[in-house]
Amino acid sequence: LASIVECSHDAIIARDIDGIGTGWNGGAERMFGYAPHEIIGRPATVLIPADGRDEETRILARLRRGEQIEHHETTRVARDGRVLSVSMTVSPLRDDAGRVAGVSMIVRDIADRKRMETELSLGREKSRAILDTAVAAIISIDGQGLILSINPATERMFGYAAAEMIGQNVKILMPSPYHEEHDGYLARYKATGERRIIGIGREAQARRKDGTVFAIDLAVSEVERGTLFTGIIRDISDRKAAEAKLRQADRLASIGTLAAGLGHDM
């Protein structure tokens, strides 16, 4: 047992019930930079940030009641002044009469995990900022076509509140015949792998909550094979209206040219 304790990569520390160090393994020496003789016989406060002394008092009080504290995340100070993010499991040590006589602590350095969590959190915040400010509607659906998430532009474009869309089949945003055929599109893709929209994009039509049908540009990407899809939708109704006016103007110009030619011939 002593060999296992000494070879552990985690810091394993023993104290008496008053917080005075009685045991210090190699993992603790590597983590905190103190040799055993520098810790044994000294109070635990040497490892605790000044603003964390009350925490130690509360932990010792719980241990005196016989409680065990598992995976308690906190900070400790190394010999060189570095503040370490750690996870501690603290257990009471009992004497032969069953009385709490000391404390054992297993301490794990979680700085790498904390850094990864921070990076992931920042990544999520950046992604959320992009989604929230995007002009295009961005919708995620599962393999059954149920809406998992939307961005604010989706609410503005379709007139539904988020709560009215999340969990609903995405076909509520489609007019006929797409509304009736959508589930078949998904089933066929999962069965055959044939791509008609995914990764290709196309112009289509969508339907707002009030029933209005409008032209959209739709791009769908597959995030996870057959189980998670994301669609980016742009309202192109203004562009389509402008194109129709331009075609009408071209037709009128052609009629005018023809009329002028006929008048000249006559």
Side-chain angles (χ1 to χ4, degrees), residues 56-196:
E56 182 70 7
T57 301
R58 292 192 297 271
I59 288 175
L60 287 174
R62 291 178 60 184
L63 292 166
R64 290 189 184 100
R65 296 194 296 268
E67 296 182 33
Q68 177 167 315
I69 300 168
E70 296 188 1
H71 309 302
H72 174 66
E73 294 188 5
T74 186
T75 56
R76 289 294 181 263
V77 180
R79 184 177 184 179
D80 60 8
R82 289 177 298 118
V83 177
L84 307 177
S85 295
V86 300
S87 174
M88 302 191 311
T89 294
V90 191
S91 304
L93 296 176
R94 300 179 184 275
D95 60 19
D96 293 340
R99 295 184 296 267
V100 177
V103 176
S104 70
M105 304 176 64
I106 300 175
V107 184
R108 176 165 295 176
D109 186 343
I110 58 172
D112 289 343
R113 195 195 82 197
K114 286 292 186 182
R115 183 171 59 254
M116 290 177 63
E117 288 176 351
T118 299
E119 290 173 356
L120 286 171
S121 177
L122 288 173
R124 284 193 294 267
E125 288 175 6
K126 288 179 181 177
S127 297
R128 175 51 57 187
I130 292 169
L131 289 173
D132 287 350
T133 57
V135 176
I138 302 175
I139 303 174
S140 293
I141 65 170
D142 65 13
Q144 283 69 52
L146 302 182
I147 298 173
L148 301 175
S149 66
I150 65 166
N151 69 334
T154 307
E155 295 179 280
R156 294 191 296 271
M157 186 178 294
F158 289 93
Y160 288 99
E164 296 178 285
M165 285 187 275
I166 302 298
Q168 297 295 318
N169 194 300
V170 71
K171 65 186 180 184
I172 67 169
L173 307 179
M174 302 174 185
S176 295
Y178 311 110
H179 178 89
E180 293 78 15
E181 296 173 354
H182 178 262
D183 292 343
Y185 296 156
L186 273 178
R188 182 175 58 250
Y189 170 69
K190 288 192 285 186
T192 66
E194 178 187 357
R195 293 170 176 260
R196 295 192 177 182

Side-chain angles (χ1 to χ4, degrees), residues 24-40 42-48 76-82 84:
W24 187 259
N25 76 334
E29 187 172 355
R30 290 187 293 273
M31 184 179 298
F32 293 101
Y34 289 98
H37 70 272
E38 296 177 288
I39 289 295
I40 292 175
R42 296 183 65 186
T45 51
V46 68
L47 302 176
I48 301 173
R76 289 294 181 263
V77 180
R79 184 177 184 179
D80 60 8
R82 289 177 298 118
L84 307 177

Side-chain angles (χ1 to χ4, degrees), residues 195-254:
R195 293 170 176 260
R196 295 192 177 182
I197 298 178
I198 297 169
I200 300 171
R202 73 175 192 185
E203 293 184 2
Q205 289 187 317
R207 183 179 63 193
R208 296 187 175 92
K209 182 178 180 179
D210 62 8
T212 306
V213 175
F214 63 105
I216 62 169
D217 183 73
L218 173 64
V220 180
S221 61
E222 187 175 29
V223 181
E224 294 178 5
R225 180 73 172 88
T227 60
L228 181 60
F229 304 88
T230 296
I232 299 176
I233 302 169
R234 294 179 177 85
D235 184 346
I236 59 172
S237 53
D238 289 343
R239 191 189 82 194
K240 286 294 184 182
E243 289 174 354
K245 288 181 179 179
L246 184 59
R247 286 194 297 270
Q248 179 68 11
D250 287 343
R251 284 196 295 269
L252 291 174
S254 297

